Amino acid sequence: MTKSFVTAKEVAALAKVSRSTVSRTFTEGASVAPDVRQRVEEAAKALGYRVNKLAQNLSADQSQIVGVVGSNLSTPFAARQLDQLSRGLLQRGMQCLLLNAADAQHDISPLIEQVLEFRVRAIVIMSGAPPGAIIDECLANGVRVIVVNRQTDVETDTILSDDVAGVRQAAERLIMAGCRFPAVVSSSARTQSQARRRNEFLKLMFEAGLEPAIWAQGVMSYETGQLAARDLLATETVDGVFCVTDLLALGFLDAARDMGRRVPEEVSVIGFDDIPQANWSAYQLTTIRQPLDELTDAVLAAIDRDVRGGNSRPIRRILPATLIERATVRAPTTV
Amino acid sequence: MTKSFVTAKEVAALAKVSRSTVSRTFTEGASVAPDVRQRVEEAAKALGYRVNKLAQNLSADQSQIVGVVGSNLSTPFAARQLDQLSRGLLQRGMQCLLLNAADAQHDISPLIEQVLEFRVRAIVIMSGAPPGAIIDECLANGVRVIVVNRQTDVETDTILSDDVAGVRQAAERLIMAGCRFPAVVSSSARTQSQARRRNEFLKLMFEAGLEPAIWAQGVMSYETGQLAARDLLATETVDGVFCVTDLLALGFLDAARDMGRRVPEEVSVIGFDDIPQANWSAYQLTTIRQPLDELTDAVLAAIDRDVRGGNSRPIRRILPATLIERATVRAPTTV
DNA sequence: CCCTCATTTGCACCCGCGTTCATAAAATCC
DNA sequence: GGATTTTATGAACGCGGGTGCAAATGAGGG
């Protein structure tokens, strides 16, 4: 019943040629007589032959597979990122081996090891903490590693959006709105971009002579944002909130409204990422947009890069984040 | 610079054993003397050896890769589905080769062919139109095909949520709310589940003596839902809307409110899927829940199944969809 | 002390395909 | 038309690793 796949040998037998000729028929730019080629192709079609990529990649010692490790894939931002990336890979004739790091903060070495076993062409790390040692090992083996939105001490391709500049715009905007009692909301997960955004916000606020309330609990989710609002608005005097993620901001918004606080009149809220929901008319969240398209393009470009001159230096691209004005921050006050 | 990977041969040389012994050391249940095993393992670690899955799978004539074809991956429902599935696969020691069918209605044969070349263990089809011919070919080659939320004429594993029963609950609920002028909203994409939900709704409404307005345009998105509301509420008398997808329903809700219509007092709205956003407090959308967890479990079970007795008949599981009462449908009227 | 049996190990071959290399056939040149 | 170049084809080898088989080693029993 469960017959095995058709091999080139069987095609060769049917077409009455050698297996080498079959191989050549399916190899670009090999020399095969037209009539023979046709005979082989017919035989292949009749038998339902398709090359075994496993074997093909084995002798070539490289595959067109790209390993992608990510986490929180149901989160709007990550989902869009993966959607774009996987589509781009497919368009470029590469395969996308998805490794879902269930837990962001865990060490993702085992995942990388797993993907290495497939002699992948490149590894894209969208999340998780990759220890330098294993990245070095990848690079030593000629596997390009592309790290997204994360600083690494290792010399490898790095693509990130300009969190610092983005946060600066957010902070300035809140200050322009006349906020006196800022707060910053994040989850308890200590991912790099979260920490970077939070710390930069704190730094800027201190420089402006303000002392933000700090809230950091739970997982990265809408519900955590709600919780933050209930905590902060009940116990603190807060008139301007920076949520390190839109998801948090949306939860914050809803809970604030449920508590009867008016946004932006009583409290301004600003997020980060610009996920689609931020633009839904129930929210109209003012936020900092991550340049997702450019991010994806940069990743794809970095992967393609290794085809050409081998040992050029690693890419390091910082893409601009921009303030998207919507309706959750008070209009600038003319001081 | 770009050195190749370490092979078993090199490990053998270092450990002063034969390559077979190295192979056996990494093979479950093979007979290797304890001291030799340790020597080999040390050598392997020192050299950074890892087995080449390509080669391993080649001789085994099967991989632990599962091909997953999906589309609209940034959509909340699909994203969650993929998240769960990829996590489950990883936990079970399988790899997830993601094929992103950019366009749902296109023929996905080329995608399947591509994934077949990797001698995958199974193929999960979450979207797209798989022609029966190629599925037959998969099955003939011993590759299990699992189709999710889609009826097929081919005899293969099928997992679907009970759209019909779900829609019945939605329709009954709207009727209970006293709706006289129902409408059904879908996108113009002619995916099976959309069509099934719409047609079933129409049928039930006709049976109840009502004649629903039909709206079907655009892509599957929040914005399309907004558009539907603007169209329907402006030109028709509508007091009860079934959106075949939560995403549509949320857009509909927002646009309806923006037009000043009160929900559920003036118009009741009910969705399908129960995506996380449906439970956000700005919406509180009454909807039909697809049993996502059970769906994923069933898919994973179907994949695992092929380990055991080979030629048992294909699975066909229909999982119950349940009405989730929230706040967008009027309370039942006591007729 | 010799024989038997269990365990360990190396050899050789196979998986399916790409790729020299040599050879046969065809085409070109003078 | 013979010499030379080009082209087409098949045999053989390698990619990295699994595995059947037989030799080698060691332990146990009579």
Side-chain angles (χ1 to χ4, degrees):
Chain A
M1 191 90 315
T2 61
K3 307 191 58 172
S4 164
F5 283 85
V6 176
T7 75
K9 189 156 65 175
E10 304 174 45
V11 176
L14 181 60
K16 303 216 185 301
V17 294
S18 78
R19 201 188 52 69
S20 317
T21 303
V22 176
S23 175
R24 274 189 274 265
T25 305
F26 291 95
T27 304
E28 193 72 23
S31 158
V32 170
D35 56 331
V36 177
R37 150 162 278 133
Q38 187 186 344
R39 218 167 65 224
V40 172
E41 283 173 348
E42 279 170 5
K45 179 160 294 179
L47 263 46
Y49 167 75
R50 61 189 87 252
V51 302
N52 186 336
K53 284 272 182 196
L54 261 34
Q56 196 176 49
N57 292 337
L58 175 58
S59 38
D61 199 35
Q62 210 213 15
S63 68
Q64 289 298 83
I65 301 178
V66 172
V68 175
V69 348
S71 68
N72 287 81
L73 262 32
S74 54
T75 267
F77 187 78
R80 283 210 306 160
Q81 205 175 0
L82 177 62
D83 187 18
Q84 287 201 7
L85 181 58
S86 58
R87 213 157 43 199
L89 287 175
L90 210 60
Q91 276 170 4
R92 285 167 174 69
M94 297 181 269
Q95 276 75 35
C96 173
L97 194 66
L98 176 60
L99 290 258
N100 190 343
D103 223 336
Q105 58 267 41
H106 274 36
D107 181 14
I108 58 170
S109 302
L111 263 13
I112 298 187
E113 299 215 18
Q114 224 177 100
V115 88
L116 268 182
E117 293 175 350
F118 283 98
R119 303 301 188 253
V120 293
R121 170 159 170 188
I123 300 181
V124 177
I125 297 178
M126 305 199 319
S127 134
I134 196 153
I135 292 192
D136 280 335
E137 194 177 335
C138 295
L139 297 177
N141 285 328
V143 175
R144 171 149 271 118
V145 177
I146 294 133
V147 181
V148 180
N149 269 350
R150 165 171 281 273
Q151 310 263 21
T152 320
D153 46 350
V154 187
E155 279 281 315
T156 191
D157 292 343
T158 309
I159 319 274
L160 21 79
S161 54
D162 196 344
D163 283 345
V164 170
V167 171
R168 188 198 327 280
Q169 294 175 72
E172 285 172 356
R173 185 64 188 80
L174 286 180
I175 291 172
M176 265 170 54
C179 289
R180 303 280 310 279
F181 305 103
V184 56
V185 172
S186 62
S187 81
S188 65
R190 304 205 110 288
T191 75
Q192 263 204 14
S193 50
Q194 268 205 73
R196 208 179 319 139
R197 291 172 192 173
R198 202 189 54 178
N199 295 340
E200 183 67 16
F201 184 80
L202 290 175
K203 184 186 131 215
L204 292 172
M205 282 299 170
F206 284 139
E207 287 176 8
L210 300 173
E211 204 165 316
I214 302 177
W215 195 96
Q217 294 179 26
V219 299
M220 174 58 63
S221 72
Y222 168 90
E223 287 76 14
T224 298
Q226 284 183 305
L227 200 59
R230 292 197 198 104
D231 271 13
L232 281 175
L233 298 181
T235 62
E236 310 258 351
T237 315
V238 168
D239 62 358
V241 181
F242 170 54
C243 298
V244 297
T245 277
D246 279 357
L247 212 50
L248 293 173
L250 298 178
F252 193 99
L253 271 183
D254 273 340
R257 285 180 189 148
D258 289 346
M259 295 170 78
R261 303 302 178 94
R262 285 181 309 149
V263 177
E265 291 82 358
E266 298 175 50
V267 50
S268 292
V269 176
I270 192 165
F272 207 111
D273 286 347
D274 193 30
I275 62 179
Q277 288 79 6
N279 194 32
W280 286 7
S281 66
Y283 296 105
Q284 287 299 306
L285 175 70
T286 297
T287 188
I288 309 296
R289 169 177 298 165
Q290 278 201 61
L292 188 51
D293 294 348
E294 291 84 347
L295 221 64
T296 306
D297 287 346
V299 171
L300 291 171
I303 296 174
D304 274 341
R305 198 165 68 90
D306 72 347
V307 181
R308 331 210 290 121
N311 47 7
S312 55
R313 297 223 315 285
I315 290 180
R316 186 154 200 284
R317 293 204 54 191
I318 302 185
L319 300 165
T322 56
L323 174 69
I324 305 295
E325 280 279 4
R326 286 199 269 255
T328 57
V329 177
R330 231 180 345 204
T333 57
T334 51
V335 180
Chain B
M1 191 88 317
T2 61
K3 308 189 56 173
S4 166
F5 283 84
V6 176
T7 76
K9 189 155 65 175
E10 305 175 44
V11 176
L14 181 60
K16 304 217 184 301
V17 294
S18 77
R19 198 186 54 69
S20 317
T21 303
V22 177
S23 174
R24 273 189 273 265
T25 305
F26 291 95
T27 304
E28 192 72 22
S31 155
V32 172
D35 55 332
V36 176
R37 150 162 277 134
Q38 188 185 344
R39 218 167 65 224
V40 172
E41 282 173 349
E42 280 169 5
K45 179 159 293 179
L47 263 45
Y49 168 74
R50 60 189 86 256
V51 303
N52 186 335
K53 285 273 182 194
L54 261 32
Q56 196 175 50
N57 292 336
L58 175 59
S59 38
D61 199 36
Q62 210 211 18
S63 67
Q64 289 297 82
I65 302 178
V66 173
V68 175
V69 348
S71 67
N72 287 82
L73 262 32
S74 54
T75 266
F77 186 77
R80 284 210 307 160
Q81 204 175 0
L82 177 61
D83 188 17
Q84 287 200 8
L85 180 59
S86 58
R87 213 158 42 200
L89 288 175
L90 211 59
Q91 277 171 5
R92 286 168 175 69
M94 297 182 267
Q95 277 75 33
C96 172
L97 194 66
L98 176 60
L99 290 256
N100 190 341
D103 221 336
Q105 58 266 40
H106 273 36
D107 180 14
I108 59 170
S109 304
L111 264 14
I112 298 186
E113 299 215 19
Q114 224 177 99
V115 88
L116 268 182
E117 293 176 350
F118 284 97
R119 303 301 188 254
V120 292
R121 170 158 169 189
I123 300 181
V124 178
I125 296 177
M126 304 197 321
S127 134
I134 196 153
I135 292 192
D136 280 335
E137 194 177 336
C138 296
L139 297 176
N141 285 328
V143 175
R144 171 148 271 119
V145 178
I146 294 133
V147 181
V148 181
N149 269 349
R150 165 172 281 274
Q151 310 263 19
T152 320
D153 46 350
V154 187
E155 278 282 314
T156 190
D157 292 344
T158 309
I159 319 275
L160 21 80
S161 54
D162 196 344
D163 283 345
V164 170
V167 171
R168 189 198 327 281
Q169 293 175 73
E172 285 172 357
R173 185 64 188 80
L174 286 180
I175 291 171
M176 265 170 55
C179 289
R180 304 280 309 281
F181 305 103
V184 57
V185 171
S186 63
S187 82
S188 65
R190 303 204 111 289
T191 74
Q192 264 203 15
S193 49
Q194 267 205 73
R196 207 178 321 138
R197 291 171 193 174
R198 203 190 54 178
N199 296 340
E200 183 67 16
F201 185 79
L202 291 176
K203 183 185 133 216
L204 292 172
M205 282 299 169
F206 284 139
E207 287 176 9
L210 299 173
E211 203 167 315
I214 302 178
W215 195 95
Q217 293 180 25
V219 300
M220 173 58 63
S221 72
Y222 169 89
E223 286 77 14
T224 298
Q226 285 182 305
L227 199 59
R230 294 197 197 105
D231 271 12
L232 281 175
L233 298 181
T235 62
E236 310 259 350
T237 314
V238 168
D239 61 359
V241 180
F242 170 53
C243 298
V244 297
T245 278
D246 279 356
L247 212 50
L248 294 173
L250 298 177
F252 193 99
L253 270 183
D254 272 341
R257 286 178 190 151
D258 289 346
M259 295 171 78
R261 303 302 178 92
R262 286 180 308 150
V263 177
E265 292 81 358
E266 296 176 52
V267 50
S268 292
V269 177
I270 192 164
F272 207 112
D273 285 347
D274 192 31
I275 62 179
Q277 287 79 7
N279 195 31
W280 287 7
S281 67
Y283 296 105
Q284 288 299 308
L285 174 70
T286 296
T287 188
I288 310 296
R289 170 177 296 165
Q290 276 202 61
L292 189 51
D293 294 348
E294 291 83 348
L295 220 64
T296 306
D297 287 346
V299 171
L300 292 171
I303 295 174
D304 274 341
R305 199 166 67 90
D306 72 348
V307 181
R308 332 212 287 123
N311 47 7
S312 54
R313 294 224 316 284
I315 291 180
R316 185 155 201 283
R317 293 205 53 191
I318 301 184
L319 301 164
T322 55
L323 173 69
I324 305 294
E325 280 279 5
R326 285 200 269 256
T328 58
V329 176
R330 229 175 354 198
T333 58
T334 51
V335 181

